[in-house]
Each structure stands twice: as C-alpha cells, then as structure tokens.
Amino acid sequence: MAAKWTAAEIPSQAGKTAVVTGANSGIGYQAALELARHGAMVLLCCRSKAKGDAAMAKLLTAVPEAKVRVAVMDMASLASIRAFAEKFVAGGWALDVLVNNAGVMALPKRELTEDGFERQFGTNHLGHFALTGLLMPQLLAAPAPRVVTVASLAHRNGKIQFDNLQSERKYVPWGAYSASKLANILFAKELQRRATAAGTALKSLPVHPGISMTSIVENGPGAKGLKLMVINRLGPLVMQTDAAGALPTLYAATSPDAVGGEYIGPAGFMEFKGAPVVVQPRKNALDEAVGRQLWTVSEQLTGVVYPVLG
Ligand SMILES: NC(=O)c1ccc[n+]([C@@H]2O[C@H](COP(=O)([O-])OP(=O)(O)OC[C@H]3O[C@@H](n4cnc5c(N)ncnc54)[C@H](OP(=O)(O)O)[C@@H]3O)[C@@H](O)[C@H]2O)c1
C-alpha cells in the first residue's frame, strides 16, 4: 500500500457497476462520488427517494459526466431489499462492487424493523447479509467482484449474544450498535472464507472510517446543548471529514493491492483518522466459530441462503 493512499489513486472504474447503500449521506455519499468520478456506474441506494434525488443532483454538480441512478431501498425491510434485488437481477447487470454502508448508531430507545429485528442489528447487519446473498449471482458474474462492509471501532466493545441478538432481554444503545458492527466484521471475514473455499474471485473486506464528521450522531443518539458545543469545538481535532472517512471503503473497493479478508482503517492515533491502511480488529472479530454460527442464524432470520457459498 502506498504510504498515504488517496482517492487520486483509484484506478479507472469504467465499465464497472457499483451499489452503495446509504449513499445519500456521509461516508456512503463520498464513496459513491469517488466511484462515479472514476467512471463506475453507481446505484445510490437510499431509503428516501427525495434524499436520493438530492444526493444525485449534488453528485452531478460535482461530476457532470457521472453515471448515477437512485434506487429506493430500506435496509430495515427484507421486503424492500428483496424488491430491489429482484429488479437488479432482472436488469441482468453484473455487480462489480457492493458497498454495505448504511447504518444507524446507538438509538436511545429499542426500536424494531418491520421484520421485528432490533433496528441496529437489523439494518447494519441482517439487511446487508440479505442484500449480499440476494445479489451474489450478480457479484459472481463479475470478473473480480468486491464486497466492502463498513464496520466501526465500536466493534471492540461488541459481543454477539445469541440469546439476546434482538436485545430482547436487555437493550443497551451502544451495546446494540457495537454488536452490529462486530457482526459486520465477522460477516465480511466469513464471506471471504466461503468465497475462497468455493474457488471464486470475490474479495470481501471489512473497513472502518475512524471517527468522521457525518450525520450519524444526529440520526442516532443526538447531541444538543453542551454536548453539541463540545462536539463542534473538539470534533475537528479528533475527527476527519466524511471524504477522508470514505477512503478505507474506496481503497477496499478499488485498490489492486487490497487483499480479501483484510480489515482497512485509518493509520493515525487510535485509528481515529488518517490514510487507509491494514489494521487489526479485536480478537472477538476473529472467532471463526462465532462467524459461522452468526452466518447460520442470519440465514434463518432473513430466509436468505447464499447460492454457491451457502
Ligand atoms: N461517522 C463515523 O464516525 C463512523 C464511525 C464508524 C462507523 N461508521 C459507519 O459508517 C456508515 C455510514 O455512516 P455515516 O457516518 O456516513 O452516517 P450518516 O451520514 O448518518 O449516513 C448513514 C446512511 O445510512 C442510511 N440509512 C440508515 N438507515 C437506513 C435504512 N434503514 N435503509 C437505508 N439507508 C439507511 C442513512 O439514510 P438517511 O439519510 O435516510 O437516514 C444515510 O444515508 C455506518 O455503517 C456507520 O456505522 C461511521
């Protein structure tokens, strides 16, 4: 990896198709912008058509020649994910890059998705598990497919409690978020093991954006008063921009040097900010038995079994 990898090093993505979830905001938007700038056809997957259209208009102002489309998909709804996947499959496209990015963080009260999953586990992990499985035939139709799954430093405090996956016994806002982000890494690594065992060329990489200035706080735990003032004052010292936060995603999605299964995050102090490099998740993310069990439980909960890799 170059000493300081930047978006300028993204190779041409011409002829490639990319799907980015949560593409209207923050890291997802920045990742979509750079993929489009480098020639990919990018599907901006957003739960709100209005937000998706606004993001597409902004992107086209920055890159007028961009090939972008908006697709409405709610990652907290298996029906919505299935409807999107069915349309994509019917379109007959191969899928070169899937960016599993959409996410919600530390919701103050326990909320459920329309399928009855705890909202963070349901959106951040189960929704993306289902989407990736449903799009697998399209991914495997591409010559060098990549799946990038956006995790978080928060995985370090995460615990997969198979008897409390939906926080049904106890809900702790940050605990539920950390578990969902740990699930992201366990999933990405298990996907890589399965893809390799099946002899496919698919690369699956978990990544994390350090601490980046996006809408995730206001959409989750919220901040007002003194807390908001502290964030605004100290934020720029420890946080990076959303564009910098998207670099691990972009490196994993495009760099010829990226190795499937590697975890990519910022190089700086405590991995808060900096150029993308290979980083190490905590041991809890490397437990292959938990990764396999989580896969089986995710199949059962979503009803999605992966063709070829199942
Ligand atoms: N920012 C950080 O410091 C940080 C750190 C670690 C990890 N991350 C991860 O980075 C990813 C992107 O977050 P961000 O920081 O860029 O935050 P953000 O600006 O709030 O973006 C989150 C995106 O996810 C979308 N989303 C949420 N729920 C959805 C659903 N049910 N269906 C479809 N889309 C949904 C949001 O759509 P709406 O606009 O409609 O809400 C938005 O587009 C997340 O997975 C997050 O866990 C971020």
Side-chain angles (χ1 to χ4, degrees):
M1 191 184 294
K4 221 170 179 229
W5 193 88
T6 68
E9 279 156 82
I10 296 173
S12 169
Q13 299 295 298
K16 294 194 176 183
T17 299
V19 162
V20 182
T21 69
N24 59 282
S25 175
I27 287 148
Y29 172 78
Q30 294 294 337
L33 172 67
E34 291 305 328
L35 289 169
R37 197 195 301 284
H38 289 83
M41 207 290 273
V42 184
L43 273 176
L44 308 176
C45 295
C46 311
R47 60 178 156 179
S48 147
K49 168 115 173 62
K51 285 189 186 178
D53 286 345
M56 182 165 77
K58 186 171 146 195
L59 196 155
L60 285 169
T61 305
V63 184
E65 69 281 12
K67 296 189 231 24
V68 274
R69 301 269 181 290
V70 173
V72 175
M73 174 165 50
D74 182 352
M75 297 308 297
S77 158
L78 290 174
S80 175
I81 293 165
R82 280 189 184 279
F84 167 78
E86 274 163 25
K87 265 196 220 149
F88 192 89
V89 171
W93 296 293
L95 177 57
D96 300 278
V97 176
L98 170 60
V99 181
N100 289 328
N101 166 80
V104 278
M105 179 177 84
L107 302 171
K109 294 218 167 80
R110 180 174 181 258
E111 293 177 22
L112 298 183
T113 68
E114 69 174 42
D115 302 293
F117 306 137
E118 186 282 317
R119 185 171 289 281
Q120 290 162 89
F121 192 69
T123 305
N124 303 358
H125 169 61
L126 290 173
H128 288 112
F129 177 89
L131 178 65
T132 308
L134 293 168
L135 294 180
M136 193 49 63
Q138 272 46 54
L139 282 161
L140 295 182
R146 299 208 188 181
V147 177
V148 180
T149 301
V150 183
S152 167
L153 280 170
H155 84 273
R156 291 162 174 253
N157 303 317
K159 220 170 169 196
I160 303 295
Q161 299 174 286
F162 287 103
D163 60 349
N164 191 38
L165 276 185
Q166 314 306 339
S167 303
E168 57 273 51
R169 285 196 297 112
K170 186 173 183 201
Y171 179 69
V172 179
W174 282 102
Y177 179 67
S178 301
S180 75
K181 292 286 122 180
L182 173 58
N184 286 151
I185 305 181
L186 287 163
F187 160 69
K189 286 192 166 276
E190 179 65 15
L191 176 59
Q192 183 62 59
R193 285 190 288 274
R194 286 174 185 245
T196 304
T200 76
L202 185 137
K203 287 184 187 179
S204 165
L205 289 96
V207 304
H208 83 87
I211 305 185
S212 308
M213 285 179 284
T214 68
S215 304
I216 196 128
V217 172
E218 79 194 58
N219 288 338
K224 31 184 187 189
L226 185 64
K227 197 167 156 194
L228 183 61
M229 209 173 81
V230 170
I231 289 178
N232 285 340
R233 286 278 168 85
L234 297 184
L237 297 179
V238 284
M239 294 197 237
Q240 54 184 359
T241 61
D242 51 1
L247 291 179
T249 295
L250 288 162
Y251 173 85
T254 68
S255 170
D257 299 333
V259 176
E262 281 179 346
Y263 180 45
I264 310 296
F269 175 67
M270 306 270 284
E271 299 173 24
F272 285 174
K273 58 204 270 191
V277 292
V278 177
V279 291
Q280 291 310 316
R282 197 157 270 180
K283 258 199 191 150
N284 56 356
L286 300 172
D287 189 326
E288 296 188 14
V290 175
R292 277 194 300 277
Q293 193 179 349
L294 179 66
W295 187 282
T296 303
V297 170
S298 303
E299 284 177 337
Q300 289 161 353
L301 290 170
T302 62
V304 174
V305 174
Y306 283 43
V308 185
L309 315 186

